[in-house]
Amino acid sequence: MARLSNITRDELKPEDQKYFDEIASSRGSVRGPFGVLLHSPNLASRVAATGHYVRFDFAIPEALKEVVIITTAREIKSPYEFAAHARLARAAGVSEDTIRSIAEGRAPQGLSSDETMLVNYVLELLRQHKVSDATYDAVKNRYGVQSTVDLTVLIGHYLQVGLVLAAFEVELPPGVTSELPA
């Protein structure tokens, strides 16, 4: 059972309902971490804005963004985040083998060159809390400085989301099962 309930629009003060509306309009509904984050409406809006930017305005292919997100989710053992983004990764054309490799912790083995480069960036950052010059230079030379900054914030955003999901014990939606090994 989740530690906090999802906030409905009607539970918010009238002046805070705009935050609910912004989140719902940018994502189609309020779910997952945002139902919980709305216990702090202004914060929820800011987190949603950052998430919107790194998900929809960051200029690398959608499939690669999803590879980064599911790698981040796997590293922090976030079944909700992994399941939500594995579905989006599939829709973006990420292969089932790539998704399984990441879920099982075998990645970057068997991934494409761009997937390997980005997974290595995530793994170095999250496991060593730094990125080697070789990995940084590979990403910067392939995507440019701005996209390297955006990539790093994409990882940080999904760390934040995963921590919110974990701290408040947000459960998987009905009918969704964890894709991460126990």
Side-chain angles (χ1 to χ4, degrees):
M1 177 131 208
R3 288 185 168 146
L4 291 176
S5 63
N6 286 323
I7 293 290
T8 65
R9 187 178 191 282
D10 293 338
E11 292 174 303
L12 292 168
K13 296 177 197 172
E15 63 269 20
D16 290 337
Q17 290 179 348
K18 66 184 176 191
Y19 299 125
F20 185 99
D21 296 342
E22 288 170 5
I23 293 167
S25 70
S26 72
R27 288 170 166 72
S29 67
V30 174
R31 61 191 177 282
F34 293 102
V36 170
L37 284 170
L38 278 163
H39 284 272
S40 178
N42 194 347
L43 174 66
S45 174
R46 292 165 191 252
V47 171
T50 300
H52 188 273
Y53 175 80
V54 294
R55 282 270 320 285
F56 304 113
D57 297 334
F58 173 24
I60 68 168
E62 195 65 28
L64 293 176
K65 284 186 253 185
E66 294 301 336
V67 164
V68 168
I69 295 166
I70 64 175
T71 301
T72 302
R74 192 264 177 211
E75 285 301 299
I76 62 171
K77 299 173 179 54
S78 178
Y80 189 110
E81 191 169 275
F82 192 95
H85 287 277
R87 179 182 60 78
L88 295 170
R90 288 180 183 98
V94 177
S95 75
E96 198 61 40
D97 288 342
T98 294
I99 294 168
R100 281 292 102 220
S101 179
I102 292 168
E104 294 168 3
R106 293 182 285 112
Q109 181 181 0
L111 275 55
S112 74
S113 61
D114 279 356
E115 290 171 340
T116 295
M117 179 183 8
L118 295 174
V119 165
N120 281 335
Y121 191 92
V122 174
L123 296 179
E124 287 183 24
L125 187 57
L126 298 185
R127 292 178 180 175
Q128 280 90 45
H129 309 288
K130 62 183 180 178
V131 178
S132 69
D133 288 342
T135 300
Y136 173 81
D137 289 342
V139 171
K140 183 186 73 163
N141 292 339
R142 173 75 171 98
Y143 295 106
V145 171
Q146 181 176 337
S147 288
T148 303
V149 171
D150 291 351
L151 167 66
T152 306
V153 173
L154 176 69
I155 296 163
H157 175 75
Y158 281 94
L159 282 174
Q160 177 177 267
V161 167
L163 294 175
V164 167
L165 293 166
F168 300 108
E169 297 181 349
V170 176
E171 298 172 348
L172 287 166
V176 175
T177 56
S178 177
E179 295 191 47
L180 294 175

